[in-house]
Amino acid sequence: MNKLLLAVLALTLSATTLSSHGPFVASAQETPNSQDKRLNGKWHFVFDTESGDREFEAEFSVDADGKVTGTWDKAPVAGTYKDGHMQLAFEATSEEANETAQLQLDGKIDDSSTITGSWAFSSYNGTFKATHPTP
């Protein structure tokens, strides 16, 4: 009888745990950012500036924790990526402005794998659009 009571109690606890969390629902900690790989690869950026469009090439890689590395032209990239939102901040050199400063990019990737957002460099800022380059 005691064994039967323990078995019923164990089943009741299991059912309560499953119903409150669902049998296959993982917490945010159990589901790493590594599943969203859309930022990985080569990108062609077009900055909207006061002097017209400026084009740049970049390549990014995102690790399981959402850390972004890669290159922006020749500069090393640093930043984060989570839930389709990219935030980068790194040193870059503008030969046109003859200046080295922090370049900040804040963008969101959409369903068509296009990134749109804003950029800031020294006293300059604007919007951008980025797509994967065509081969």
Side-chain angles (χ1 to χ4, degrees):
M1 177 83 170
N2 283 340
K3 288 182 182 179
L4 181 61
L5 183 59
L6 284 175
V8 170
L9 184 58
L11 269 168
T12 304
L13 286 174
S14 295
T16 302
T17 303
L18 287 175
S19 67
S20 65
H21 297 293
F24 301 106
V25 176
S27 71
Q29 291 178 340
E30 294 170 340
T31 307
N33 189 48
S34 64
Q35 292 178 353
D36 188 352
K37 301 275 187 188
R38 294 179 296 164
L39 190 64
N40 289 344
K42 294 182 180 187
W43 290 91
H44 178 78
F45 279 77
V46 179
F47 281 18
D48 181 28
T49 75
E50 292 178 8
S51 303
D53 289 348
R54 298 290 184 262
E55 298 184 23
F56 304 94
E57 303 302 320
E59 187 166 0
F60 304 132
S61 180
V62 181
D63 71 12
D65 295 324
K67 180 181 175 187
V68 178
T69 57
T71 56
W72 178 269
D73 283 335
K74 296 175 185 162
V77 171
T80 60
Y81 178 72
K82 182 177 180 182
D83 299 328
H85 185 225
M86 170 191 81
Q87 289 186 306
L88 306 177
F90 54 93
E91 291 292 311
T93 299
S94 167
E95 292 181 21
E96 184 178 336
N98 196 28
E99 184 174 1
T100 297
Q102 187 174 71
L103 175 60
Q104 297 177 347
L105 301 170
D106 189 342
K108 189 89 172 153
I109 236 177
D110 66 20
D111 291 338
S112 67
S113 292
T114 298
I115 307 170
T116 54
S118 61
W119 63 269
F121 177 81
S122 185
S123 61
Y124 308 99
N125 61 59
T127 59
F128 71 84
K129 180 178 180 178
T131 56
H132 288 290
T134 53

